[in-house]
Amino acid sequence: MAYKNIIVEKKEGVGIIKINRPKVLNALDKETIRELLNAVADLEDDKKIKAAILTGEGKAFIAGADIKQMKDMTPLEAKGFAELGHSLPVKIEESRLPFIAAVNGYALGGGCEVMMACDICIASKNAKIGQPEINLGINPGFGGTQRLPRIVGLMKAKELLLTGRNMDAQEAFDIGLVNKIVDDDKLMEEVESLAKNISSKSAVQISFIKALVNKGSHIDLTSACSLEILYFSTSFSTHDQKEGMSAFLDKRKPCFKDE
Ligand code: DAK
């Protein structure tokens, strides 16, 4: 599929989506959000793809929703935009693919919200992360008030949301919003290597584990553990469970078939 605002690359089982609007720091307008939704769906449909990377061109990951496009929206248009915007983090969260955010610079507002929907976040040293919406006279519109406290806790989230201040990579790491910080020029190398590592596992288990963690975090512990039991027992109907355990006993590397 041809895209205008993003670049999609497929490399050794890994899909790489790069937002490519560097002149506006990869701000998300409606068209870009629609392209991203299509790209995620396309990667999902490709059975050879087992992990995905999301990153940005230039000095930003995503500097937020497109303020120019939002400025004159009517409340009804803003509702439509927020609904479209919300569907992107949801699509990433519900995807069978683990998404790694390669945060190469500014991840602000909608950018931070998309980052938080990813499964793992690796940031370069120059990353700046935050929810500055309050400074624009709006509240975060793509799930920031809900995902941020779930990741960093209520107090820290409220401080960040109410001041609208940006964090550097170190602070984001310290509060658990970022998994790892790497040198700017090593970011893609590091993230691709992580994605390849994950994609060497069984695609069935990649999707099961992601779904269990995501779904389980929204429901009570007893129900979540029941879900785990169900997925665990289902694993025993797969080729990859038999292969993984046989390979261990035979002292060899497993050869997963993703089935
Ligand atoms: N939207 C549109 N253009 C943007 C942009 C953005 N979010 N961020 C940067 N740009 C543009 C700038 O306007 C500038 O364009 P020109 O002047 O060259 O035409 C170009 O990118 C370069 O930016 P700067 O010149 O400002 O670059 P600096 O290095 O000086 O500063 C910066 C970088 C990231 C600190 C600064 O650009 C900045 O503060 N940007 C805005 C960051 C921000 O506030 N992000 C949050 C956006 S609001 C909702 C739906 C959605 C949302 C909320 C509600 N509902 C419908 C309920 C989501 C909201 C957001 O994400």
Side-chain angles (χ1 to χ4, degrees), residues 41 88 94 126-127 137 150 155 184 196 212 214 236:
L88 178 61
E94 291 182 348
N126 67 348
R150 283 169 167 81
M155 287 277 192
D184 302 355
K196 269 181 221 151
L212 279 168
N214 280 350
F236 284 73

Side-chain angles (χ1 to χ4, degrees), residues 22-25 27-28 59 63-70 73 77-79 81-83 106 108-111 113 131-133 136 138-142 166:
K23 282 190 183 151
V24 288
L25 307 187
L28 294 180
K59 66 176 183 177
D66 191 318
I67 298 170
K68 204 171 170 189
Q69 192 175 68
M70 275 193 300
M73 280 180 185
E77 285 167 342
K79 182 172 177 283
F81 184 58
E83 281 164 1
Y106 294 108
L108 303 178
E113 291 165 308
Q131 298 280 170
E133 286 90 340
L136 297 168
I138 55 172
N139 56 278
F142 298 160
N166 298 336

Side-chain angles (χ1 to χ4, degrees), residues 191-256:
V191 172
E192 283 180 32
S193 150
L194 176 61
K196 269 181 221 151
N197 177 0
I198 295 172
S199 64
S200 71
K201 322 287 181 195
S202 163
V204 179
Q205 287 310 322
I206 292 172
S207 73
F208 278 17
I209 290 167
K210 172 169 172 169
L212 279 168
V213 175
N214 280 350
K215 289 185 199 306
S217 64
H218 300 307
I219 56 179
D220 67 277
L221 185 62
T222 310
S223 308
C225 287
S226 300
L227 203 59
E228 190 183 74
I229 291 168
L230 200 63
Y231 276 63
F232 183 76
S233 52
T234 305
S235 299
F236 284 73
S237 66
T238 66
H239 163 274
D240 290 347
Q241 173 268 327
K242 304 281 178 265
E243 169 61 11
M245 292 190 175
S246 301
F248 173 77
L249 296 172
D250 296 347
K251 302 189 189 307
R252 61 176 172 81
K253 273 190 141 187
C255 183
F256 294 125

Side-chain angles (χ1 to χ4, degrees), residues 11-254:
K11 226 170 150 181
E12 299 171 59
V14 177
I16 304 172
I17 303 175
K18 183 185 268 189
I19 300 150
N20 189 30
R21 296 183 83 210
K23 282 190 183 151
V24 288
L25 307 187
N26 301 323
L28 294 180
D29 62 354
K30 283 189 259 183
E31 191 175 16
T32 309
I33 296 172
R34 287 199 189 97
E35 288 192 4
L36 286 167
L37 287 166
N38 281 336
V40 175
D42 173 60
L43 293 181
E44 285 239 303
D45 284 348
D46 185 337
K47 295 295 170 255
K48 288 195 199 109
I49 299 296
K50 294 169 69 174
I53 295 170
L54 186 61
T55 193
E57 174 62 34
K59 66 176 183 177
F61 175 70
I62 301 167
D66 191 318
I67 298 170
K68 204 171 170 189
Q69 192 175 68
M70 275 193 300
K71 182 180 157 289
D72 294 320
M73 280 180 185
T74 64
L76 203 58
E77 285 167 342
K79 182 172 177 283
F81 184 58
E83 281 164 1
L84 179 70
H86 266 282
S87 66
L88 178 61
V90 170
K91 180 111 187 143
I92 291 171
E93 276 175 347
E94 291 182 348
S95 168
R96 70 175 175 86
L97 299 169
F99 270 77
I100 306 173
V103 182
N104 54 302
Y106 294 108
L108 303 178
C112 181
E113 291 165 308
V114 170
M115 181 198 94
M116 289 189 287
C118 291
D119 303 289
I120 298 175
C121 176
I122 311 290
S124 60
K125 281 187 177 153
N126 67 348
K128 293 270 184 293
I129 301 170
Q131 298 280 170
E133 286 90 340
I134 195 162
N135 301 323
L136 297 168
I138 55 172
N139 56 278
F142 298 160
T145 59
Q146 304 311 307
R147 288 192 182 84
L148 189 60
R150 283 169 167 81
I151 298 171
V152 306
L154 294 181
M155 287 277 192
K156 193 72 205 173
K158 281 187 272 189
E159 181 226 315
L160 292 166
L161 293 162
L162 292 171
T163 61
R165 73 177 176 83
N166 298 336
M167 286 171 287
D168 61 17
Q170 187 60 50
E171 184 179 357
F173 174 79
D174 291 342
I175 64 169
L177 198 55
V178 157
N179 293 77
K180 189 173 179 182
I181 305 170
V182 298
D183 286 335
D184 302 355
D185 61 344
K186 292 277 182 306
L187 179 66
M188 286 316 288
E189 191 185 310
E190 183 86 23
V191 172
E192 283 180 32
S193 150
L194 176 61
K196 269 181 221 151
N197 177 0
I198 295 172
S199 64
S200 71
K201 322 287 181 195
S202 163
V204 179
Q205 287 310 322
I206 292 172
S207 73
F208 278 17
I209 290 167
K210 172 169 172 169
L212 279 168
V213 175
N214 280 350
K215 289 185 199 306
S217 64
H218 300 307
I219 56 179
D220 67 277
L221 185 62
T222 310
S223 308
C225 287
S226 300
L227 203 59
E228 190 183 74
I229 291 168
L230 200 63
Y231 276 63
F232 183 76
S233 52
T234 305
S235 299
F236 284 73
S237 66
T238 66
H239 163 274
D240 290 347
Q241 173 268 327
K242 304 281 178 265
E243 169 61 11
M245 292 190 175
S246 301
F248 173 77
L249 296 172
D250 296 347
K251 302 189 189 307
R252 61 176 172 81
K253 273 190 141 187

